Structures are given as C-alpha cells and as structure tokens.
C-alpha cells in the first residue's frame, strides 16, 4: 500500500482517533462523497450507513449546505464572538430556539459535542455557585458517553476508555441504566432498580444529572423507555437539581422526531447539540438553556459571568452550514424520510429477531441495533473483522463491540437500507453462534 502517496504521508505523519496503529489496517482514502455514498480515488463506492460517526444528515457534499458555506466564506469567515455578533449566529440561535422544547431559548456556541457538554456541566455548577447553593455533585448513567475532554470523561467514566486518567477525573455518581430491547421481559424490574438508586443518590448537594435521552450511543445503542426518562426528570426536579440532555447524537431527527425530548413530557434545563448540527459539514456545538438559568449569571461583578469561550465560538461558516442544514431538516421531505426509515427498520425487525445468533434487537426512529451473540469486544479482532466484512460488501458499518447498528443519512434509499439489513443477517451468520445454555 506504500505505493499510494497519500497513504504513505498518512502513515508517516497522521495520528488517527480511536485507532491502535499497530494492528489497524491502512485507512481508506476517500476523495469524494455524494448522497449516502463515499468514493475512493479509483471510484470504489462505500455506502455510509453510520453517517460518518453519526454526523451526516442529508447526504455527503449536499449542494445546499456546500453553497451556503461558500457564500458565507466570501462575506465573513470569522469574527471573535466576545463583543461581536453576526447574522448567521443570531439567526441560527433564533431558529433553533423556536424548535427547542419548552423555554430552552438561550444558546451558547462552542466547537463540538464534548465542549457542548463541558459548557452544560460548567453552567450547572456555576449557576449553583452564583446562587450561593452548595450543589456540587453530578449524576450520570452507567455506560453514558459524553465526549473526550476531562469533564465529559468524568461524566462518562463508566464507558471504559479512561483507565489512564482515572485519578484525574472528578467524582460523579453513576446510576444503573435500564437498557431494554424488543421482547425484554425484565424492563420493569430494571427501571425500578434504577429509580431506587436515583432516589438514594438525590440530595441537596446535587447540581444536575446528565443523560443521553432515550438512546445511549457509544455504549452500544442502548435504549430506555420514554416513561422512565420522564420519571427520572420529575424526581431530579423534585430534588431541586437540573436536568442536562446530551442530544449530541439523538438530535436532529435520529429518533424519528427532531429531538429525543419530543418523545417526552418533561423538558430539560440544558440541552447539548453537535454532530448533526451542521449536517455533518463543520464542527460546532450548542448548549441551550433557559432564560432563568441565563439570569443566574447576572451581576455587577465579572465573577458572576460565564468565563468560557473558544477562539472559533459561533464560527460564521459553521452557523451558515447549520442554517442550511436546518432548512433541509425542517422540510416535509426529511420528516418523510424519518418515517420511511423507521418503517423499513420495523418491518425488518422480525426477520432480524428470528436469526439464531441475534439478541436484543432494538429500534429508535432511524437507528436499528442488535447484538451478535459471540462476536468480539470493542477493538478486538472480531470487531475489526466485522468492519472488514462489511467493507468487502461495499458498506461502511462500524460495530460497537458485538453490537451492529444502522444509523443512516436520511436520504438513504430503500434499496440501500435493504443492503444494510441483509449485511446484518449475513454478519450474524458468519460471526455469531447460538446463545448456549451456559452464559459466556
Ligand atoms: C459524540 C458524542 C459526544 C462528543 O462529541 P464530539 O463532537 O465527538 O466531541 C458527546 N455526547 C454524545 C452523546 C455523543 O454521541
């Protein structure tokens, strides 16, 4: 492969994310994208059924978003955001506020999902501090993933990637996560145990709980029932603490509604968005909150203010991309795609559940996931072999351990979805084994 000059440069100088370079195969060089597909220089097509790490909504290189970025780049590429504002930032904040649940209509811009989470955690802690309340503890769910910065790692410490930093993470109280799936007989018992743990954890020292509403992504597309999330929120509110929704993955339609929050009765106090925010074109994060929380930072002294910001806060190109993506997201066609993909997954579920090597099938809107019994752990060879198996079929699929899932761009065609569904069955046949009576 050293004959490819790009691969040679990459092999020499680039450090890839979540990659063990010693054992990883050469990365695939992609030069072009269109619709749900990515293309190599020789024109080989790879169907992207994971939306490139869950960011792409409307297809690759979508002309409406590409055009908006280009036009903005010719007008204003960036201006510092302390003491300045600009049309795309103010317009985007207003348009998002109009769509966000309840009174989440004050928005803080940052750079990615991790920073959107850091900002939410810092706002929750500082709001208590500013009010003179001794609320310093945070709650989170086991398995939650909130990003790779230190605060986000602390809130997601149970997800398992953080051993080298363990003593640098701050203390967070973790609650059991009552993951459920189609035909799960034990869901009520798991939810009851989780609520009992929540009650035990709640106290006057709790500032906030952070959670991925309805669907934990990186933990393996783990689902909870809406009524459980609502009950958690009522109890947290009852104890005077804030609720932070990490909708970095679930936002912008993944769950079949614009937000996971739209499946719920209760409204969070803070909501983190990123990934799909720009349609998958540029990195940007948003932390949305209420005017009430915003005003907890009012004061004559700067010490009351939220002293947080990034060089590229509210980058105009990213805002322009987000506005253009929102045009597409809010169109009736896109809502139709959510319903179409959801129906295709639902129609396929019985076939998937009938496979002898498949367990714990679950669906949430456009996301379908299942476990292949006996397939390997994260980073293990089986996981890598699964990826290569899918790639050989022309599909970009990236299992989480033994969890295979589809999380496609919304413009995916029915025929393309069918290819994904068939690949899941074939992978189960090739890599799984029937669950034995003795659990492994
Ligand atoms: C991806 C993700 C993050 C982190 O976002 P980055 O942009 O990768 O920093 C946070 N929370 C959830 C739920 C995510 O899926």
């Amino acid at each position: 492969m050293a004959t490819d000059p790009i691969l040679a440069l990459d092999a020499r100088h680039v450090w890839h994310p979540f990659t063990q370079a010693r054992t990883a195969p050469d990365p695939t060089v992609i030069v072009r994208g269109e619709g749900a597909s990515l293309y190599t220089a020789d024109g080989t097509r790879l169907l992207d059924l994971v939306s490139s790490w869950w960011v792409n909504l409307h297809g690759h290189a979508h002309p409406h978003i590409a055009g908006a970025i280009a036009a903005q780049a010719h007008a204003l590429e960036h201006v510092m955001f302390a003491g300045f504002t600009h049309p795309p930032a103010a317009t985007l904040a207003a348009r998002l506020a109009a769509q966000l649940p309840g009174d989440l209509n004050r928005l803080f811009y940052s750079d990615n999902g991790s920073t959107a989470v850091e900002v939410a955690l810092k706002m929750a802690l500082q709001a208590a501090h500013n009010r003179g309340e001794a609320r310093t503890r945070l709650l989170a769910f086991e398995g939650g993933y909130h990003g790779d910065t230190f605060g986000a790692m602390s809130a997601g410490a149970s997800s398992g990637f953080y051993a080298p930093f363990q003593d640098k993470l701050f203390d967070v109280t973790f609650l059991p996560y009552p993951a459920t799936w189609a035909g799960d007989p034990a869901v009520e018992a798991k939810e009851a145990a989780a609520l009992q743990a929540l009650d035990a954890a709640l106290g006057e020292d709790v500032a906030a709980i952070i959670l991925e509403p309805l669907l934990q992504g990186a933990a393996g597309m783990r689902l909870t029932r809406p009524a459980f999330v609502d009950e958690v929120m009522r109890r947290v509110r009852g104890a005077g603490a804030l609720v932070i929704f990490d909708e970095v993955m679930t936002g912008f339609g993944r769950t079949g509604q614009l937000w996971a929050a739209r499946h719920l009765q209760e409204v969070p106090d803070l909501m983190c968005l990123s990934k799909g925010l720009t349609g998958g074109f540029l990195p940007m994060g948003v932390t949305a909150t209420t005017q009430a929380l915003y005003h907890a930072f009012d004061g004559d002294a700067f010490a009351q203010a939220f002293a947080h910001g990034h060089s590229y806060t509210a980058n105009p190109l990213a805002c322009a991309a987000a506005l253009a993506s929102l045009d597409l997201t809010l169109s009736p066609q896109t809502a139709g795609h959510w319903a179409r993909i959801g129906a295709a997954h639902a129609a396929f579920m019985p076939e998937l559940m009938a496979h002898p090597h498949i367990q714990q099938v679950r669906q949430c809107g456009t996301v379908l996931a299942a476990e292949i019994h006996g397939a390997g752990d994260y980073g293990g060879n089986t996981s890598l072999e699964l990826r290569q198996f899918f790639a050989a079929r022309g599909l970009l699929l990236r299992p989480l351990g033994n969890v295979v899932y589809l999380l496609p761009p919304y413009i995916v065609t029915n025929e393309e979805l069918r290819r994904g569904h068939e690949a899941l069955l074939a992978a189960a046949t090739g890599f799984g084994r029937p669950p034995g009576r003795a659990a492994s």
Side-chain angles (χ1 to χ4, degrees):
M1 286 292 151
T3 50
D4 183 320
I6 296 302
L7 275 183
L9 295 176
D10 183 284
R12 201 176 177 88
H13 297 294
V14 179
W15 191 333
H16 287 266
F18 283 102
T19 299
Q20 173 48 264
R22 179 72 70 84
T23 53
D26 285 337
T28 305
V29 183
I30 296 296
V31 296
R32 195 170 74 77
E34 187 181 347
S37 293
L38 298 163
Y39 296 88
T40 64
D42 69 6
T44 304
R45 175 182 167 198
L46 201 56
L47 180 58
D48 180 1
L49 293 176
V50 296
S51 303
S52 281
W53 258 349
W54 321 343
V55 301
N56 190 282
L57 304 184
H58 311 294
H60 291 282
H62 194 291
H64 182 61
I65 304 176
I69 295 170
Q72 184 60 45
H74 287 287
L76 174 69
E77 85 301 343
H78 190 64
V79 60
M80 61 184 289
F81 207 59
F84 294 87
T85 190
H86 48 75
T91 310
L92 177 61
R95 285 189 66 190
L96 284 173
Q99 297 298 329
L100 284 163
D103 50 357
L104 293 178
N105 46 35
R106 181 66 68 169
L107 276 67
F108 191 96
Y109 290 109
S110 66
D111 294 352
N112 53 57
S114 304
T115 56
V117 165
E118 295 292 330
V119 165
L121 298 176
K122 287 177 71 175
M123 282 178 175
L125 293 169
Q126 190 179 337
H129 175 88
N130 284 358
R131 290 169 173 148
E133 299 170 357
R135 292 185 177 272
T136 57
R137 201 152 54 88
L138 297 168
L139 309 185
F141 280 101
E142 284 169 2
Y145 177 77
H146 300 292
D148 292 339
T149 49
F150 273 85
M153 282 199 295
S154 298
S158 55
S159 69
F161 303 131
Y162 310 138
F165 318 109
Q166 206 59 54
D167 68 335
K168 301 292 180 288
L169 303 180
F170 57 75
D171 191 35
V172 170
T173 304
F174 288 99
L175 306 168
Y177 183 79
T180 190
W181 49 85
D184 175 15
V187 59
E188 272 93 9
K190 287 183 281 189
E191 289 175 352
L195 290 173
Q196 210 178 343
L198 173 65
D199 287 342
L202 283 172
E204 288 186 352
D205 61 337
V206 175
I209 187 168
I210 181 165
L211 65 146
E212 295 164 85
L214 297 191
L215 186 60
Q216 281 190 341
M221 301 297 157
R222 301 202 305 165
L223 206 60
T224 42
R225 302 196 299 182
F228 169 77
V229 180
D230 272 323
E231 186 55 30
V232 166
M233 294 172 77
R234 281 191 283 270
R235 293 186 190 199
V236 169
R237 287 280 170 53
L242 301 172
V243 175
I244 303 170
F245 271 12
D246 179 350
E247 289 227 31
V248 168
M249 187 276 278
T250 53
F252 301 99
R254 289 297 173 200
T255 67
Q257 297 274 350
L258 188 58
W259 321 114
R262 287 216 176 150
H263 297 271
L264 302 168
Q265 311 290 317
E266 301 292 314
V267 176
D269 301 284
L270 293 131
M271 198 156 127
C272 307
L273 303 173
S274 184
K275 291 210 165 94
L277 174 60
T278 62
F281 274 67
L282 288 164
M284 185 165 67
V286 155
T287 306
T289 191
T290 60
Q291 302 291 352
L293 192 130
Y294 177 66
H295 289 302
F297 292 74
D298 289 347
D300 295 328
F302 183 76
Q304 294 278 112
F306 190 56
H308 184 111
H310 302 279
S311 313
Y312 282 96
T313 296
N315 174 250
L317 305 182
C319 291
L323 281 165
S325 180
L326 207 54
D327 294 337
L328 302 171
T329 303
L330 298 179
S331 72
Q333 287 91 325
T334 296
H337 289 321
W338 298 339
R340 174 180 60 84
I341 295 167
H345 284 336
F348 170 62
M349 274 175 75
E351 197 179 343
L352 188 59
M353 289 166 75
H355 194 289
H357 304 164
I358 287 285
Q359 294 181 309
Q360 304 190 0
V361 177
R362 58 259 190 193
Q363 183 207 352
C364 187
T366 69
V367 182
L368 176 73
E371 313 205 349
I372 299 181
H373 182 79
D377 298 329
Y378 190 85
N381 284 336
T382 312
S383 189
L384 180 60
E385 285 168 17
L386 270 171
R387 249 184 273 160
Q388 290 173 322
F389 170 84
F390 291 126
R393 299 172 76 101
L395 304 177
L396 170 49
L397 284 172
R398 198 182 158 94
L400 294 154
N402 68 338
V403 177
V404 284
Y405 69 92
L406 302 183
L407 195 155
Y410 304 143
I411 44 66
V412 70
T413 66
N414 290 336
E415 184 271 329
E416 289 168 335
L417 266 184
R418 185 66 210 162
R419 284 178 61 199
H421 289 159
E422 275 162 10
L424 297 192
L425 294 172
T429 300
F431 291 84
R433 52 190 163 77
R437 258 170 308 181
S440 55

